[in-house]
Amino acid sequence: NVEITGVTFKDAPNHNIEMDSCVTSRLHDFVITAPYISPNTDGVNFYGGFDSVMENVVIDNGDDCVSVVPIGEYSDVCAHPELEDIRCSGGHVVFRNLTCNGGHGLSIGGIRHGNVRNVTFDNILATGGQKGSTQDEAAGGGCRVKSYPNSTGVVSDISYNNIEFQGVYLPIQLLGHYCPWPCNTPDGESAALFTNIKFNNIRGYGKQRNTVVEFKCSEYEHCTDIVIQDVSLKARDDAEGHMTCENIDSLEIDVDSLPNKCS
């Protein structure tokens, strides 16, 4: 059992908190601050583990606000992982009541090899546009699921609920070929599967002139069972937001959501 509460992390030179294979962890009521321009100052990273809850936390930083990745991503046994293999697993986390300012977003991955399942994000405010913020397409600042080239495994049962965005670069993103410059991961002909991912009651606006949702799935493993419900997102200056789609086989959008079609 692990509990972190009532503390302030300030100007860490690298990742602030890493939860590695922890079971029954409770993180709540603390603050993380780092310059928006500082690389690799992730707020909280969950590697593997089960039964984790993080709530009532404010994070200002220059990289992922939070992220969830599998353990074993560099081991041979996880190169083609079985779904129930705990040596290659991550997830089983609930995030709620968070504020994320200036960072790279609410992230699953980047996945190299392994599975991430059963992650819920609920009641979160994320902002962008601060001086020094390094948000861009590879670091959108919003809901983001990402995998490296030549990845393997499954990302499933992910739910983003009740989230407000204020000026983040890209509010919603699935990225099947994540490799920011300088990209040192060679291309291959495999990719992690993104499936059963839901976006519900997402509000606000992005920083770009048009795109607010980007589904850029891999040609080697198309995204399936993606659901958008009760989403209302605008682009910059109150402009109509657009959704771009690549290699997605099953996309369900309710009629009242905006955007509600691929462009």
Side-chain angles (χ1 to χ4, degrees), residues 8 129 148 173:
T8 297
Y148 285 95
Q173 182 183 46

Side-chain angles (χ1 to χ4, degrees), residues 62-123:
D63 214 294
D64 288 339
C65 180
V66 295
S67 72
V68 182
V69 294
I71 56 172
E73 60 182 348
Y74 293 105
S75 67
D76 291 340
V77 72
C78 296
H80 298 283
E82 297 292 331
L83 194 59
E84 301 296 334
D85 193 337
I86 63 172
R87 297 171 297 176
C88 312
S89 72
H92 312 286
V93 186
V94 174
F95 299 97
R96 58 182 175 234
N97 305 332
L98 307 184
T99 299
C100 298
N101 295 316
H104 292 179
L106 313 168
S107 299
I108 305 295
I111 306 298
R112 296 183 188 274
H113 305 289
N115 307 309
V116 172
R117 296 185 295 158
N118 188 26
V119 181
T120 298
F121 300 85
D122 189 30
N123 192 29

Side-chain angles (χ1 to χ4, degrees), residues 26-215:
R26 300 294 182 262
L27 288 69
H28 61 96
D29 299 284
F30 61 87
V31 173
I32 293 174
T33 63
Y36 299 125
I37 201 171
S38 56
N40 298 319
T41 53
D42 295 41
V44 183
N45 305 120
F46 287 85
Y47 295 91
F50 293 89
D51 185 21
S52 297
V53 178
M54 177 175 160
E55 59 187 340
N56 306 326
V57 175
V58 178
I59 298 176
D60 292 63
N61 69 329
D63 214 294
D64 288 339
C65 180
V66 295
S67 72
V68 182
V69 294
I71 56 172
E73 60 182 348
Y74 293 105
S75 67
D76 291 340
V77 72
C78 296
H80 298 283
E82 297 292 331
L83 194 59
E84 301 296 334
D85 193 337
I86 63 172
R87 297 171 297 176
C88 312
S89 72
H92 312 286
V93 186
V94 174
F95 299 97
R96 58 182 175 234
N97 305 332
L98 307 184
T99 299
C100 298
N101 295 316
H104 292 179
L106 313 168
S107 299
I108 305 295
I111 306 298
R112 296 183 188 274
H113 305 289
N115 307 309
V116 172
R117 296 185 295 158
N118 188 26
V119 181
T120 298
F121 300 85
D122 189 30
N123 192 29
I124 296 172
L125 169 66
T127 70
Q130 294 87 349
K131 183 178 181 181
S133 175
T134 56
Q135 292 179 2
D136 58 17
E137 186 179 7
C143 310
R144 56 197 300 247
V145 180
K146 50 183 177 167
S147 63
Y148 285 95
N150 211 27
S151 57
T152 57
V154 176
V155 175
S156 66
D157 306 304
I158 311 298
S159 182
Y160 291 94
N161 307 305
N162 307 312
I163 297 175
E164 179 181 354
F165 291 118
Q166 297 178 0
V168 301
Y169 187 84
L170 195 52
I172 295 177
Q173 182 183 46
L174 303 178
L175 188 56
H177 190 282
Y178 169 76
C179 203
W181 184 91
C183 180
N184 297 314
T185 304
D187 282 331
E189 295 185 356
S190 67
L193 170 64
F194 298 167
T195 185
N196 193 21
I197 301 174
K198 297 180 173 63
F199 304 92
N200 177 60
N201 190 25
I202 312 293
R203 297 284 187 270
Y205 61 96
K207 185 180 179 180
Q208 297 189 78
R209 293 184 182 276
N210 300 113
T211 304
V212 294
V213 179
E214 180 183 74
F215 294 142

